[in-house]
Every structure is written in C-alpha cells, then in structure tokens.
Amino acid sequence: MNDVLLNKIAQCANLPSLPAIAMQVLEMAQKAEVDIAEIARVISKDPAMSSKILKTVNSSFYGRSQHVSTISHALVILGLQSVKTLVLGFSLVTNLSKSKSKGFKHMDYWKRSIYAATAARIIGKKIDLVQQEEAFLAALLKDIGMLILDQIFGDEYGSIHAKLASHEDLPAAEQAALGATHAEVAGYLAEQWKLPPLLTTPIRHHHDSENVADPSLRRLTEVISLAGRCANVFVDEQAAPAIAKARAFAAERFGMAETQFDTLMAEIGLRTKEVASLFEINLGSAMNYEQILKKANEALVEITLQFQQQATTLQAENTQLQKQATTDGLTGLANRATLDQFVAARFTEAMAQGKAIAFLMLDVDKFKSVNDTHGHQIGDQVLRVLGKLLSSAARAQDMAARYGGEEMCLVLPGTSRATAAAIAESIRRAICARPIPVGNNASLPVTASIGVSALEPGMPFKEPAHLLKAADMALYAAKRGGRNCVRVFSLPKPAASAA
C-alpha cells in the first residue's frame, strides 16, 4: 500500500474505531490470568450487547441443548473465545452499519459479510478447524477495507464497483485504480486495532491465501477465502460463474466433491438467514441455494461449454504455434532448428546403442535458372512439390527437413549406408519421373542431386556435424559427377604399398 493512500486513511475523519466494550474485552482476554467473572461483568453492563449474545448462544446456530441465561454461564458453556467473537462482531457491526455509503451498494456489503461469516464457521466445523470462532469474525470483517475506501474516494470508488461483474474481480481493479486493495486496507486497520495475527492475517490475505507462509494461518485463510467465494454465490447478480469458481476452489484446496459442496452451500444459505437476524442485517428477498442453483444450471452449462470451447481453441492455437515454430512455412517440412535437435538426439542414441544412422542431403539441380527463367513463384512451387515427395518418403522414425535454400534432407535413424543409398536413388528417380505442374497445363522437368552419409562401424564420425559434413561432401561429388545422381560418402582406400 502506497504512502499517499496511508496518509488519506490516517486523515479520514470517519475511520472506524474499535468500540470501547470490544477494547475492554480484548484487553482482559489477553492477560496472562484471565478474570472470567470480570469479563462477564463488563459485558453485562451493556444490556443490548448482553441480550444479543444470549439470544445468539441459545439459537440453533450454536446448537446447545442447555439454555444459557447469563453471560457468566455463556462464558462457561461456550468458552471465552466464542463470547469474545460475539462481542467484537456485534459491537463492530453496530458501529460500522451507521456509516453511509457514498459509492457502492452498502446492502450487498453486509449481505456478503454475514454470508461469509456463517460460511466460514460452517466450513471450519466441517474440516475440524480449531479456530472456528476466529474464522467467523475474520470473514465478517474481511471486507471492511471497502467501507474505508468508500469513505475516502466516494463516487470514484463506486465507479470501480459499477464496472465489475463479481467481487472476485475487485482486488485487481482496486490495485490498478488506487494502488491498494480493500484486503490490504482491512489488514492495516485490523493491525491498528491491535487484533491478533489469527485475525489480521486472514483478513489481509483472503484474496491471496497462497501468500501466507505459516501453514496454520494459511489453512485458516483458505477457509476465509472459500467462505468469501461462497458468499458471492448468494450476492453476485450472476450466480453461475460464482458457483463454478467456488466449486473449483473447494475441490482444489479442500478436496471437496461437487455434491459435498452443494450440501455445504445449502446449509450456509439456511443458517445465514438466522445469523443475519441476530446481527440485524437485512438479507432482503434472499433465495435459498437450491433456487439459485436451479436458476444457474443453464448458465453453468453454457459456461462449461464456453470453457471447453476456449480450451479446444487454445489447444488448437498452441498446436498451430508449435507447428509454426518447428516447421518450414514454404515446404511444410521440419525447419533447420528442429532438424538440428533431431539429428543431435538420434546421433547420440546411435552412438550409445551401437546402431546406424544415415543422412540424405538433396539439392535441386540448376535451381537458380528455374527462378531466373520462370520466376520465384514457380521456384517456390518446385520446392513445395519436392517437399511433399520427400515427406512421403519418410518413415515414422525419420525426419524430412528443409536444410536451407533449395537444399532438403532426410534423417534415417537405424538405417545402414546401403539402405540409405537405395532410398536416395528411389527419391531421385521419383523426382525425374514427375515434372512439376506450373499452370496452363504446362510442367517443368526437375532433377536433383543427393549426397548420402551414414554412421556405421569403421566410420570416424564423433558428432552430428561430421555426419552432415560427410553428406554435404557426397552431394558436392554428385554435382561434380554431372548432377541428377546419388553419391555416397566413403573413406578413401589406403594407397597400396610399393612392392
């Protein structure tokens, strides 16, 4: 978060403060020797707070069979952490709900907060999370930074919201426009209130839980992240994308199957209605999850089809890009870079396994005169036709490639010199026998010279370049021998010794 925004937050006259009763309870709860009776007396001095806590403790949300009639009893039955969470939650909601929205939908904020808080506690219980109460409170407060940014920027902040389809898109938009996210601002405020890391960390990182280093805090933060995504399902105008994202996150981080997720969401929808009334938050005409899911199913199918189509298109584009990167655009043969990699790999294998590998270098005879006489388009047509012919001659394990200019080659792994020479001769004859069509029912006779080299026992080749050089030397010999012929590289015979 930049210094300019920090200064604006510090100077904000309406910056939320921690209520006095919450500060007292926090301070007493952090003492080495906690005085439960004193905490009960402090809470009991606030009749409205006491009433809300007792009503909540006795609700089905906590599922206690034993009726609780006093704060002291609540502290004994539920424990200090639960009661502290309720004090903080109720006092903060009461204070914050008084702030008037300038730019964004205030009602959606509170709906999302209470859905997320309820979801966090339910998820925490499902996965046996120890910090279920912290999860509830952190989820309730995680978006408080939105209220602060709204106070500071007003309509400017509202315009950021107006452009977004989902809450999930908000952090990126805030970062681009303001240089900070509501999660960072909320984390900053939580630190100013001196809330413990169990609350400040998940509040700050509820949109980027992967950045939490501490494993125990990361798990809690992941719960808050999932809770927020669950809340989006009930608040976002388009529920289908929110369902898809929440399901994916639940499966990835918690191994939750789709049916398990849907059961969880149904419980969240049911429980939140009760919790919202306890916190005096108006959910409006909220639909249950079954209704939302039914409405979203058609959209979900459409989204799935779109994802599949996008994946297919992306795969096709990747395949095309890979082809472009490895293929010569004119002839359709492998390009020089691909050829070099292939030769290097097959040559190394042949050396290691004691096998043969052959290399054919083909050059179109008098190709310059073809271009000079008939034009480069006809020259390109000649290369395309010969490229197809060479490609058809390649076996599954072979590679046909354009070496450069009018030179093409064929790599033949596992092939002896004699077999390679026979293949070269068949290719030469096929070229001679098939004049190249050049339009207007005309054709152009073409011939080619071919040089052959092979790695076999007795050959001194130590690296791929030696194999290629030998084929080039054989090709040069074919050119000198009158063209339209095949020459095979062989070592010169030792001169006979004088008698």
Side-chain angles (χ1 to χ4, degrees), residues 70-91:
T70 65
I71 296 298
S72 298
H73 194 190
L75 283 164
V76 172
I77 296 297
L78 294 182
L80 175 60
Q81 189 57 50
S82 296
V83 175
K84 185 178 74 174
T85 295
L86 291 174
V87 170
L88 284 169
F90 281 128
S91 59

Side-chain angles (χ1 to χ4, degrees), residues 87-374:
V87 170
L88 284 169
F90 281 128
S91 59
L92 284 167
V93 168
T94 301
N95 263 25
L96 295 172
S97 60
K98 296 174 183 176
S99 63
K100 300 300 180 183
S101 173
K102 295 180 180 179
F104 75 103
K105 296 178 181 178
H106 213 237
M107 185 175 177
D108 282 358
Y109 169 86
W110 286 110
K111 284 173 65 175
R112 182 174 283 106
S113 296
I114 202 65
Y115 271 113
T118 308
R121 195 172 190 281
I122 292 173
I123 295 166
K125 187 176 181 180
K126 295 287 184 187
I127 66 169
D128 295 323
L129 184 74
V130 174
Q131 308 96 344
Q132 294 175 26
E133 300 301 332
E134 287 86 350
F136 179 91
L137 187 57
L140 185 68
L141 301 178
K142 66 182 177 61
D143 290 328
I144 192 173
M146 293 169 60
L147 296 180
I148 299 172
L149 292 173
D150 179 60
Q151 288 293 328
I152 295 171
F153 295 101
D155 290 338
E156 181 185 351
Y157 189 59
S159 67
I160 296 173
H161 282 256
K163 299 173 185 176
L164 305 177
S166 172
H167 182 80
E168 287 302 301
D169 303 324
L170 184 58
E174 291 170 332
Q175 186 66 47
L178 309 175
T181 69
H182 68 276
E184 291 175 308
V185 175
Y188 168 79
L189 186 62
E191 288 176 349
Q192 297 305 301
W193 288 345
K194 294 182 171 51
L195 296 182
L198 273 174
L199 295 174
T200 57
T201 298
I203 287 174
R204 183 185 295 276
H205 293 287
H206 67 273
H207 279 291
D208 61 333
S209 55
E210 65 278 2
N211 290 333
V212 178
D214 187 316
S216 61
L217 290 178
R218 188 189 309 122
R219 195 58 171 167
L220 174 59
T221 308
E222 287 175 339
V223 169
I224 308 306
S225 295
L226 177 56
R229 287 169 169 81
C230 292
N232 293 339
V233 172
F234 295 96
V235 181
D236 284 358
E237 289 186 14
Q238 299 296 325
I243 292 173
K245 290 177 182 178
R247 278 178 175 170
F249 190 88
E252 178 190 348
R253 302 295 177 90
F254 297 93
M256 200 177 293
E258 189 173 303
T259 52
Q260 292 174 307
F261 174 81
D262 288 343
T263 301
L264 175 76
M265 290 297 293
E267 184 179 355
I268 291 169
L270 181 65
R271 291 290 186 186
T272 302
K273 292 180 181 179
E274 180 182 11
V275 178
S277 66
L278 296 171
F279 279 79
E280 298 177 357
I281 292 174
N282 181 13
L283 293 181
S285 56
M287 290 190 293
N288 61 39
Y289 180 66
E290 288 79 3
Q291 292 171 315
I292 293 173
L293 187 59
K294 183 178 180 181
K295 185 178 178 181
N297 265 339
E298 290 185 9
L300 282 169
V301 171
E302 181 65 26
I303 288 172
T304 302
L305 290 174
Q306 288 178 359
F307 282 161
Q308 290 175 346
Q309 185 177 5
Q310 288 171 358
T312 301
T313 302
L314 183 61
Q315 184 177 7
E317 290 174 350
N318 288 338
T319 302
Q320 181 63 26
L321 287 172
Q322 185 177 11
K323 183 178 180 181
Q324 290 174 357
T326 59
T327 306
D328 174 62
L330 178 64
T331 63
L333 301 175
N335 60 22
R336 179 63 185 274
T338 306
L339 168 69
D340 289 342
Q341 292 176 1
F342 184 81
V343 172
R346 299 293 88 78
F347 187 90
T348 301
E349 289 176 4
M351 290 285 285
Q353 299 171 10
K355 294 182 179 179
I357 180 172
F359 190 87
L360 273 59
M361 180 81 79
L362 178 152
D363 185 84
V364 182
D365 293 332
K366 299 181 179 180
F367 185 71
K368 185 177 183 301
S369 67
V370 173
N371 280 331
D372 292 344
T373 305
H374 302 281

Side-chain angles (χ1 to χ4, degrees), residues 392-413:
S392 65
R395 302 164 299 181
Q397 71 270 29
D398 301 338
M399 175 177 280
R402 186 178 182 184
Y403 192 79
E406 69 271 21
E407 291 181 332
M408 303 178 193
C409 57
L410 187 62
V411 188
L412 304 166

Side-chain angles (χ1 to χ4, degrees), residues 18-94:
L18 203 59
I21 186 171
M23 292 180 66
Q24 283 182 279
V25 171
L26 269 178
E27 187 178 340
M28 289 187 291
Q30 289 172 357
K31 290 181 178 179
E33 295 184 6
V34 180
D35 189 339
I36 297 294
E38 180 61 23
I39 292 175
R41 280 194 294 273
V42 169
I43 297 173
S44 298
K45 288 178 182 178
D46 188 329
M49 176 66 69
S50 300
S51 176
K52 286 180 180 180
I53 290 175
L54 292 175
K55 185 178 179 182
T56 304
V57 168
N58 288 308
S59 71
S60 61
F61 186 61
Y62 275 90
R64 298 286 174 178
S65 57
Q66 185 178 3
H67 183 77
V68 178
S69 56
T70 65
I71 296 298
S72 298
H73 194 190
L75 283 164
V76 172
I77 296 297
L78 294 182
L80 175 60
Q81 189 57 50
S82 296
V83 175
K84 185 178 74 174
T85 295
L86 291 174
V87 170
L88 284 169
F90 281 128
S91 59
L92 284 167
V93 168
T94 301

